[in-house]
């Protein structure tokens, strides 16, 4: 029996994980007394997310039957004629996001039982990830920019807590501060965009803003000839550049590997980093008005997809390889947005959420089996010891590289076809970027797979050749006293609470693309939740005309250059890391300058530290020393006090106590007043 979707039921979806988070946080961490055991905390947190997942699935089914809701839950504030409401918009777009977020979150919660079993902050971690789920649900269910911004900032705050989970470690503190500050740069642009839309329309509700599209399109930014919609859309996308880690605001995401592995899956695979993709898709009626904004999005996405993929090739930390893969795939989604293929962007968001969460959690399973070792150079031959993890990582990798019939194939190939059909400025560069990225993705994905699960066993030795890491290759190890296997010790398969979520994530990673491509991309599923101006941007129409079913699409791939690039990437990885393991070192030596450039991540971190960080400190020092100390304290505060003191020192001599002195002063005052009156009468009047 279907549950009627009333406001209380809809409220229960985000509130269930929130209540779970509060109970665990208040009564399981010592904040209000440690009254809940580990078992009780994990049960409460998982139950809250499970309720949200079940209700979200119910929402999706009813949305498919035509259910639609757009309304206010309560009024937060009234400012003149402007209302600030908390409300929900339940349509196909939000329903898909709700199911993806809650499902991945549920898998992460279950996985955490095994992965974080030895952690002192076990209960605190459950509280954080449940709170993160609440924040993300508030974001995707919002029907106005105010609530969207609340969820947007809330996931940022909770991610700060999660990335810095090991707050006693300096590297974790640096990583979470970096993530927090870089996202604030993007959020500044985001709030400017919201402000421009509010000024232009007088409302923060989606439907009210979209209803004034024609009015907005005719407006210019005051004092300029810039189109208001273009400026607002670019500002909104700058917010997405921070949240969805697009160049040059991507630098926070690799360092966020300092947090525990489940966080990598939750934040970087399916939820927080996809918020920007969701936001642009939600605001598609506005972005369709500006080809300039779309072109900007397209170029940024292309740079991210290609150049972040290159960095994945040189990483030795297993989690960082997957992290740079996430950056590259986010670039793919952004490219789809830039060519007005919003349904394809959401489609890739969905498929990517499953196989990337699978890869992150699979990497965590490897780390667990290797006694918290993350350096791939100390692994090899693990397939014999961890067969389930090996198989799941293989399935995730095949989905990631776009193997025909796997989910990633249908979404990635759709993006490539959309770019090829697009005429938006920058689409030529975007086509080159995605084609090159196909090869690069296959190379770094199977480099990881072959390096970790096959070849020579490189673990369990007393002395490792690679114990010293370069300063720039910081590793986000989970906080354990000892890393790596002891001499003679063998890896082991992870417990069932770790492997079961892997299996459950592997199922949609393989099949969901096949079954959903037709309704999501070429059917009527999204309806009015996504708007495309087909007359200006006919990409989706052209792709629909060429689509003849998922089987025909997969069979056609065997005759395209895309699959050839995939095969070449896998073969290159096999040659370098299976058949000729000495070759990568020779290539690195021959291409030493390029290798150094990639090792230093294009020197962007150094640039940020030298220019922006030190520049801000210099400006802060100047304003503090000269502005605060000399001008404010010295001249205004102390100076005015000194002036009053000097004046009082002079005046007090007139306070003699003699009556004739006061009479004399009164006479002088009257003479001065009469003189002024006479002057104004003669010369001014």
């Amino acid at each position: 029996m279907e549950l009627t979707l009333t406001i209380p039921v809809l409220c229960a979806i985000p509130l269930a994980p929130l209540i779970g988070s509060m109970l665990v946080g208040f009564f399981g961490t010592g904040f209000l007394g440690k009254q809940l055991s580990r078992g009780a905390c994990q049960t409460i947190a998982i139950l809250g997310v499970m309720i949200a997942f079940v209700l979200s699935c119910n929402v999706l089914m009813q949305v498919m039957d035509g259910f639609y809701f757009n309304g206010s839950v309560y009024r937060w504030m009234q400012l003149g004629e402007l209302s600030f409401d908390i409300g929900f918009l339940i349509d196909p777009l939000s329903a898909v996001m709700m199911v993806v977020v809650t499902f991945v979150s549920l898998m992460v919660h279950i996985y955490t039982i095994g992965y974080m079993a030895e952690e002192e902050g076990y209960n605190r971690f459950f509280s954080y990830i449940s709170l993160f789920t609440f924040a993300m649900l508030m974001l995707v269910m919002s029907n106005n920019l105010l609530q969207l911004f609340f969820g947007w900032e809330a996931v940022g705050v909770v991610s700060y807590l999660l990335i810095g989970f090991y707050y006693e470690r300096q590297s974790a503190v640096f990583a979470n501060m970096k993530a927090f500050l870089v996202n604030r740069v993007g959020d500044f642009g985001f709030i400017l965009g919201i402000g421009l839309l509010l000024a232009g329309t007088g409302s923060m509700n989606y439907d009210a803003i979209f209803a004034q599209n024609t009015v907005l399109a005719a407006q210019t930014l005051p004092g300029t000839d810039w189109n208001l919609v273009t400026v607002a859309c670019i500002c909104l996308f700058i917010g997405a550049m921070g949240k969805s880690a697009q160049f040059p605001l991507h630098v926070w995401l690799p360092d966020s590997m300092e947090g525990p592995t489940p966080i990598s899956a939750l934040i970087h695979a399916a939820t927080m980093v996809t918020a920007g993709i969701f936001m642009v898709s939600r605001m598609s009626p506005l972005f369709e008005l500006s080809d300039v904004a779309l072109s900007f999005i397209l170029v940024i996405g292309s740079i991210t997809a290609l150049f972040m993929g290159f960095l994945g090739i040189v990483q030795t930390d297993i989690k960082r390889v997957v992290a740079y893969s996430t950056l590259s795939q986010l670039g793919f989604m952004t490219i789809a947005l830039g060519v007005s293929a919003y349904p394809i962007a959401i489609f890739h968001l969905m498929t990517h959420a499953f196989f990337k969460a699978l890869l992150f959690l699979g990497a965590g399973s490897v780390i667990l089996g290797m006694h918290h070792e993350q350096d791939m150079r100390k692994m090899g031959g693990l397939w014999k010891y961890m067969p389930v993890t090996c198989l799941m990582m293989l399935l995730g990798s095949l989905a990631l590289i776009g193997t025909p019939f796997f989910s990633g194939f249908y979404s990635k190939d759709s993006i490539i076809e959309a770019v090829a059909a697009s005429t938006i400025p920058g689409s030529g560069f975007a086509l080159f970027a995605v084609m090159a990225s196909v090869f690069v993705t296959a190379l770094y994905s199977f480099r990881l797979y072959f390096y970790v699960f096959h070849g020579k066993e490189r673990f369990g030795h007393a002395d490792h050749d690679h114990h010293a890491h370069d300063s720039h290759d910081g590793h986000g190890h989970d906080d354990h006293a000892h890393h790596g296997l002891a001499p003679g010790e063998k890896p082991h398969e992870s417990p069932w609470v770790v492997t079961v979520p892997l299996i459950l994530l592997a199922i949609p990673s393989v099949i969901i693309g096949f079954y959903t491509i037709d309704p999501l991309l070429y059917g009527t599923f999204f309806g009015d939740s996504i708007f495309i101006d087909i007359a200006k941007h006919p990409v989706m129409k052209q792709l629909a005309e060429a689509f003849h079913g998922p089987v025909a699409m997969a069979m056609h791939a065997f005759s395209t250059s895309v699959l050839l690039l995939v095969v070449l990437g896998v073969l290159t990885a096999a040659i370098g890391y299976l058949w000729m393991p000495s070759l990568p070192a020779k290539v690195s030596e021959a291409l030493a300058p390029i290798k150094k450039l990639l090792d230093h991540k294009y020197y962007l971190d150094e640039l940020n530290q030298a220019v922006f960080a030190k520049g801000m400190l210099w400006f802060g020092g100047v304003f503090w020393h000269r502005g605060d100390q000399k001008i404010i304290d010295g001249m205004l505060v102390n100076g005015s006090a000194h002036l009053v003191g000097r004046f009082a020192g002079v005046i007090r001599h007139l306070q003699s106590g003699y009556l004739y002195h006061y009479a004399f002063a009164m006479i002088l005052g009257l003479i001065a007043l009469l003189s002024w009156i006479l002057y104004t009468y003669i010369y001014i009047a």
Side-chain angles (χ1 to χ4, degrees), residues 355 358 390-400 406 506 509-510:
F355 61 71
L358 171 61
C390 176
L391 178 59
M392 297 303 105
M393 289 289 284
L394 176 60
L395 293 176
S397 299
L398 290 172
L400 171 61
F406 283 71
S509 298
V510 176

Side-chain angles (χ1 to χ4, degrees), residues 302-623:
S302 302
I303 294 172
T304 306
L306 180 60
F307 290 96
M308 297 304 108
F310 288 145
L311 296 181
I313 300 174
V314 300
Q315 301 300 311
T316 57
D317 185 308
I318 187 171
K319 285 172 60 176
R320 286 180 176 254
V321 176
V322 187
Y324 280 107
S325 170
T326 301
L327 283 171
S328 182
Q329 296 307 305
L330 286 167
F332 270 80
M333 301 175 204
T334 304
I335 289 170
L337 297 174
V339 297
S340 287
Y342 310 99
I344 301 179
I346 297 298
F347 184 45
H348 193 51
L349 182 158
M350 179 187 70
T351 61
H352 174 266
F354 297 126
F355 61 71
K356 188 53 59 70
L358 171 61
L359 289 171
F360 268 120
L361 296 185
S365 179
V366 170
I367 294 168
L368 199 62
M370 289 291 298
H371 204 289
H372 301 280
E373 177 60 70
Q374 296 181 202
D375 192 342
M376 297 190 301
R377 296 169 296 185
K378 301 176 186 177
M379 301 178 186
L382 296 188
W383 70 271
K384 293 180 289 185
Y385 308 98
M386 307 180 71
V388 176
T389 301
C390 176
L391 178 59
M392 297 303 105
M393 289 289 284
L394 176 60
L395 293 176
S397 299
L398 290 172
L400 171 61
I401 67 174
T403 307
F405 294 103
F406 283 71
S407 295
F409 160 76
Y410 291 104
S411 55
K412 285 184 69 176
D413 262 42
S414 296
I415 293 173
I416 295 171
E417 292 175 6
V419 174
S422 176
T423 57
I424 291 176
S427 55
F429 171 62
L431 182 60
F432 166 77
V434 293
M435 293 297 286
S437 296
V438 168
F439 171 81
V440 173
T441 302
L443 175 57
Y444 66 64
S445 298
F446 274 84
R447 170 181 177 265
L448 183 154
Y449 177 74
F450 293 142
Y451 215 7
V452 172
F453 294 103
H454 298 279
K456 179 183 176 183
E457 297 180 0
R458 300 179 297 276
F459 50 81
H461 302 295
D463 183 28
H464 297 293
D465 295 333
H466 308 290
H467 64 278
H469 304 295
D470 296 335
S471 60
H472 58 267
D473 192 25
H475 294 266
H477 294 296
D478 295 349
D479 197 26
H480 297 268
H482 172 68
H483 300 287
L485 300 172
E489 193 177 2
K490 299 296 184 182
H492 58 83
E493 185 62 93
S494 300
W496 69 268
V497 290
V498 172
T499 56
V500 167
L502 298 182
I503 296 169
L504 294 177
L505 284 166
I507 295 170
S509 298
V510 176
I511 67 172
I512 199 167
F514 182 92
Y515 290 104
T516 59
I517 182 173
D518 194 0
L520 262 62
L521 300 193
Y522 309 116
T524 57
F525 176 81
F526 284 115
D528 296 333
S529 61
I530 291 176
F531 172 76
I532 302 174
D533 189 343
I534 296 295
K536 290 175 59 180
H537 309 128
V539 166
M540 291 303 300
K541 181 181 179 182
Q542 295 175 19
L543 265 60
E545 293 171 352
F547 181 74
H548 301 291
V551 175
M553 182 178 177
M555 296 305 297
H556 175 71
F558 288 94
S559 62
T560 65
S561 57
V562 177
L563 186 61
L564 177 62
L565 290 171
V566 170
V567 173
L568 286 176
V570 175
L571 284 176
T572 303
I575 293 171
Y577 297 94
L578 281 183
W579 305 326
M580 300 175 64
S582 62
L583 183 61
K586 295 179 180 178
V587 173
S588 297
E589 187 178 350
L591 303 174
I594 297 176
K595 176 65 163 57
K596 186 177 181 180
L597 180 66
L598 296 178
D599 282 339
H600 286 273
K601 296 170 283 189
Y602 309 115
Y603 292 94
L604 288 174
D605 283 339
E606 287 84 348
L607 177 66
N608 288 332
Q609 286 289 99
V611 178
F612 296 106
K614 291 186 178 180
M616 289 300 102
L617 287 173
W618 181 81
F619 272 113
V622 169
F623 284 119

Side-chain angles (χ1 to χ4, degrees), residues 7 40-41 61 107 130 177 290 299 488 535 664:
I7 289 181
C41 287
M61 289 187 292
M107 296 299 101
S130 293
M177 285 298 296
S290 175
V299 172
F664 180 70

